[in-house]
């Protein structure tokens, strides 16, 4: 049977099955006390104390080196800090670890997730206090309403949609509440024209609407105007005359009315 070698004087390494720790020490000769007699409360200000056990404990080695790390002692020791750690300190640390690089991404419209847009229900009147009503199936008219006739005015479902350009105007789509009709701008007889267009309720409204449905809403004090995204400088307009169709006009501040008031509706 092979004999157990004597411990070297330079270094002792021992793995304790009881403590799951690997211990190292420069020399085995300075033995202080048994491991089981250690009192953590008696540790000095140093916070770490080396103790060597001289009992065999029926182990293969004759001596056991125990290193006791006073975790509780170290945890309670105050760490002097002249300044409080700030977010800028963490940011400067990240600058050494990470390198900022631009990310270029090309999106295919066929694979973009189109979440339903936010919307609100509202009624519009021009600054002459004419209400917008549905005349026939596909035409809006502007006229004055009184009494119970006020209920004839249409309620718009204004959807806040995605814009192609970056500007301070708010892109919206104007649909008629509980109807599959949306205001759209198309070219007819070489002139931009406003119309009511029937849409598939399974596909509309959506976050990225076709440009013909999009209007740039601009608010000035308590007035709003709607400029066509398809045809810039053309606006939803009404006539000074009574019971005339709502149309797309290019004149602001003239005879045609382009300013509206908006009333939130349930």
């Amino acid at each position: 049977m092979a004999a157990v070698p004597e411990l070297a004087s330079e270094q002792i390494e021992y793995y304790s099955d009881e403590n799951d720790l690997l211990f190292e020490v420069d020399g085995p000769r300075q033995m202080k006390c048994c491991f089981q007699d250690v009192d953590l409360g008696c540790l000095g200000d140093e916070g770490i104390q080396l103790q060597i056990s001289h009992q065999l404990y029926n182990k293969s080695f004759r001596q056991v080196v125990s290193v006791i790390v006073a975790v509780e002692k170290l945890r309670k020791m105050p760490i002097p800090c002249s300044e409080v750690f700030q977010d800028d300190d963490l940011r400067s640390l990240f600058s050494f670890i990470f390198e900022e690089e631009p990310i270029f991404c090309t999106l295919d419209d066929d694979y973009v997730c189109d979440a339903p847009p936010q919307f609100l229900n509202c009624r519009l009147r021009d600054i002459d206090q004419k209400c917008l009503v549905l005349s026939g199936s596909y035409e809006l008219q502007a006229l004055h309403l009184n009494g119970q006739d006020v209920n004839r005015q249409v309620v718009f479902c204004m959807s806040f949609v995605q814009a192609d350009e970056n500007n301070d105007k708010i892109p919206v789509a104007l649909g008629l509440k509980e109807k599959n009709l949306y205001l759209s701008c198309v070219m007819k007889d070489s002139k931009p024209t406003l119309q009511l267009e029937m849409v598939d309720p399974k596909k509309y409204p959506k976050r990225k609407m076709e440009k013909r449905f999009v209007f740039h809403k601009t608010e000035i004090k308590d007035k709003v105007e709607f400029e066509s995204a398809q045809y810039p400088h053309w606006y939803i307009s009404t006539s000074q005359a009574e019971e005339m169709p709502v149309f797309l006009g290019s004149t602001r501040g003239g005879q045609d009315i382009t300013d509206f008031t908006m009333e939130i509706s349930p």
Side-chain angles (χ1 to χ4, degrees):
M1 181 180 294
V4 177
E6 295 293 335
L7 297 175
S9 60
E10 290 81 5
Q11 185 180 55
I12 295 178
E13 293 186 359
Y14 177 70
Y15 179 79
S16 171
D17 293 330
E18 296 177 357
N19 300 311
D20 263 354
L21 293 174
L22 179 65
F23 302 110
E24 296 182 0
V25 71
D26 292 333
R29 303 184 183 280
Q30 297 179 355
M31 302 178 185
K32 185 171 182 180
C33 65
C34 177
F35 176 75
Q36 63 187 11
D37 297 330
V38 172
D39 183 7
L40 290 177
C42 68
L43 294 176
D45 294 336
E46 293 82 359
I48 300 178
Q49 184 173 358
L50 176 66
Q51 297 186 357
I52 303 175
S53 173
H54 60 274
Q55 296 189 13
L56 298 180
Y57 289 96
N58 297 322
K59 298 296 182 180
S60 300
F61 293 97
R62 298 178 182 178
Q63 294 176 323
V64 177
V65 179
S66 302
V67 178
I68 302 173
V69 180
V71 178
E72 293 296 327
K73 186 72 175 179
L74 291 176
R75 191 178 66 173
K76 296 178 181 179
M77 291 176 60
I79 301 175
C81 183
S82 58
E83 296 182 0
V84 180
F85 192 79
Q86 302 291 336
D87 291 341
D88 291 339
D89 300 324
L90 186 60
R91 190 178 299 112
S92 62
L93 179 62
F94 283 167
S95 65
F96 289 102
I97 304 174
F98 303 104
E99 181 178 355
E100 183 176 357
E101 293 184 356
I103 298 176
F104 301 97
C105 181
T106 302
L107 296 179
D108 189 342
D109 290 342
D110 295 335
Y111 298 97
V112 174
C113 179
D114 194 6
Q118 294 182 342
F119 68 92
L120 62 83
N121 296 324
C122 63
R123 293 184 174 92
L124 297 176
R125 293 187 183 187
D126 65 17
I127 57 173
D128 194 29
Q129 294 301 307
K130 292 195 295 294
C131 302
L132 306 185
V133 299
L134 185 62
S135 177
S137 300
Y138 298 98
E139 185 180 80
L140 287 178
Q141 289 185 352
L143 68 157
H144 290 95
L145 296 176
N146 297 313
Q148 294 183 351
D149 290 338
V150 174
N151 295 328
R152 291 179 52 196
Q153 63 182 322
V154 297
V155 178
F156 290 96
C157 179
M158 181 185 297
S159 303
F160 297 90
V161 298
Q162 180 178 334
D164 293 333
E165 303 87 5
N166 293 325
N167 52 44
D168 57 350
K169 300 177 182 179
I170 302 174
V172 299
L174 294 171
L176 272 58
K177 183 182 178 181
E178 298 178 353
K179 297 182 182 293
N180 303 324
L181 295 173
Y182 276 81
L183 286 176
S184 66
C185 303
V186 296
M187 187 68 71
K188 288 184 179 180
D189 300 329
S190 302
K191 181 182 179 180
T193 303
L194 185 69
Q195 67 175 12
L196 282 174
E197 182 175 336
M198 181 74 70
V199 299
D200 185 352
K202 296 180 180 179
K203 298 181 179 180
Y204 293 88
K206 55 185 179 180
R207 180 66 178 170
K208 188 173 179 59
M209 297 282 285
E210 290 79 5
K211 202 170 185 178
R212 68 181 184 275
F213 294 110
V214 179
F215 296 89
H216 292 148
K217 181 171 75 74
T218 303
E219 298 187 19
I220 303 175
K221 295 184 179 180
D222 58 342
K223 305 294 189 299
V224 295
E225 64 181 15
F226 300 91
E227 180 184 8
S228 171
Q230 183 81 350
Y231 304 104
H233 310 298
W234 288 79
Y235 302 84
I236 296 178
S237 308
T238 61
S239 173
Q240 297 281 353
E242 190 79 5
E243 295 189 36
M244 295 297 293
V246 180
F247 62 97
L248 206 60
S250 58
T251 304
R252 297 176 62 194
Q255 185 175 2
D256 298 334
I257 301 173
T258 59
D259 292 331
F260 296 84
T261 58
M262 187 173 65
E263 175 188 356
I264 305 301
S265 175

